[in-house]
Structures are given as C-alpha cells and as structure tokens.
Amino acid sequence: MATALAAFSPTGSARAAYSRYSRHDPRAPDAAGREDTVSLAELLVTPLGWMLRAKRSDPARSVAFAAELSAEGSLELSSSSFAEGAPIPKTYSGIPRGRNTSPALSWRGIPAGARSLLLIIEDVDVPFARPLIHTIALLEPGESDSGELAEGAMTPGNLAVHYVPAFRGWLGYQGPRPFPGHGVHHYGFHLYALDIELDAHAFADLDALLPHVAGHVLASGVLVGTQCA
C-alpha cells in the first residue's frame, strides 16, 4: 500500500477524500447507518459478513488516487439527502435493501471551460482487492458554475444522464448495499469537471474510460456517506 501511495500523491479534494475513508474498526459496534429491519436473506448471510469484517479493499486503489483524474481545481458537492460523513438513508440503497432511488446532489464551482461532468460512485470497504464501482455517469454541466440532480433523477429514462458500465456491467444508479454483517461501508460520490465531451457508449468500463480523461480534468469534488449492515 505504501508503494501505491508513493506512486501518486493526491492533492486537493482527492487528499481530503482519502482522509475521510479512515477505516472503521470491524470489531466496533455497528452504529452508523444501521437499520432495524432486515430480510431473511440478509440474516442468512450475516455470519459470512462477520467473518469477512477485517477484509477491506485497498483504499489506495480508490478513484480518489487515480492519476488520470487528478485536478488542480476543486468543486463543492453536497446533498440534501444526507450530510457529509453521515449515514445514507436506506431508501437510497440498492434493491432489495432499499428502493434504489438516487439521492439529490448539488454542486458549485464548475470552471468556465467545462464541457461535461463525470460522476463516479464507489464503495471502498468491499471485501475485494479494489473498491467496487457502483455508478459511472456523464452529465451536462449547464450554463452556470452550479447545478443539481434531483432525487430520483438517475434513471435510465433520463436522457440528460449517460452511463458507462460499472461493476458487472451495471448501467444506471446502483445504490449502497453493504454486505450483511460486514459493518460500516464508506460511499464516495466523486464529481469531475472535464474540458471534453465523451460518448458513454464508447467505453466498456472505468478502466477503458480513464485514459481518455487524463489531462482533461479541470476540477473535482467528493461527498462521502456511510451505510452499515
């Protein structure tokens, strides 16, 4: 991990994002974002989640540290659906945990030369080698330095949002769905202002997209929320 961090030293919002991904003690009580009601399926796999609590993805592989996404400028990203660092309500969780309704997002500080916005939602606490990418979306920046997505706006029918396939080919918004029993997960909503327009259909996944945005990121911002199962 130290080698990975030495290879790319994040600046600005990326550095702040990494500091917010401080690890939750897997042995600590599940206080953040826990819901009282769970399904039978969740109960059945919860023991496996307990066993995997100490296994988390390498935070150095978060998009916050991707050299292709580095930027000098910063954006302010916020949500009326949840506060920075706070639990994300269950209604925004993926099915069957929640309704898979996308949260409201708003931003300020879009540079004048921005031609598109890139939104990436990731879970840095999955028990895999790298963080899990939930959503990759391309948006239009609008005519001012601010903008927003209303609650529930990230649907396949919204022609203002274009999706690049995420984990397992997911298209569209895929809400938080931490593995039952695995504890607190941190979800980063990363927004990037690009000086180019991109065709979402031209990319098979994030790895295919990154080389095309390198050197074209004007500013970035991140909003982090949590959920616990």
Side-chain angles (χ1 to χ4, degrees):
M1 180 174 175
T3 302
L5 293 178
F8 171 58
S9 177
T11 58
S13 60
R15 186 185 298 277
Y18 182 75
S19 69
R20 279 176 273 181
Y21 285 152
S22 58
R23 287 296 182 234
H24 173 265
D25 184 348
R27 297 165 296 180
D30 296 340
R34 188 168 182 79
E35 296 286 343
D36 293 330
T37 59
V38 294
S39 68
L40 177 59
E42 288 178 306
L43 289 174
L44 291 174
V45 298
T46 293
L48 179 58
W50 293 338
M51 293 174 60
L52 294 173
R53 276 200 171 194
K55 183 174 177 57
R56 306 275 163 151
S57 63
D58 183 355
R61 300 184 69 179
S62 163
V63 295
F65 290 94
E68 298 93 336
L69 294 171
S70 62
E72 293 296 330
S74 61
L75 307 175
E76 180 182 332
L77 182 62
S78 61
S79 175
S80 59
S81 303
F82 64 95
E84 164 64 35
I88 300 172
K90 196 171 181 179
T91 189
Y92 306 114
S93 296
I95 295 171
R97 178 177 171 82
R99 298 179 179 177
N100 203 46
T101 300
S102 60
L105 296 173
S106 60
W107 51 84
R108 293 191 298 176
I110 302 298
R115 298 179 62 187
S116 63
L117 302 177
L118 170 64
L119 176 66
I120 301 174
I121 305 174
E122 71 171 355
D123 177 354
V124 297
D125 287 300
V126 290
F128 305 144
R130 64 189 294 181
L132 188 150
I133 303 299
H134 278 246
T135 301
I136 307 171
L138 290 167
L139 318 169
E140 297 178 0
E143 298 181 356
S144 68
D145 70 343
S146 61
E148 63 180 8
L149 276 177
E151 180 182 281
M154 296 183 68
T155 62
N158 186 350
L159 299 181
V161 185
H162 306 278
Y163 300 99
V164 173
F167 179 71
R168 290 184 177 176
W170 288 345
L171 283 173
Y173 174 76
Q174 296 292 336
R177 195 171 62 178
F179 197 83
H182 199 242
V184 175
H185 280 218
H186 295 77
Y187 295 88
F189 291 69
H190 299 263
L191 186 67
Y192 304 92
L194 310 178
D195 65 2
I196 56 173
E197 295 181 12
L198 295 170
D199 180 3
H201 301 290
F203 308 105
D205 53 24
L206 180 62
D207 290 337
L209 172 66
L210 287 179
H212 293 268
V213 302
H216 295 285
V217 184
L218 301 175
S220 65
V222 61
L223 172 67
V224 177
T226 65
Q227 274 203 3
C228 181

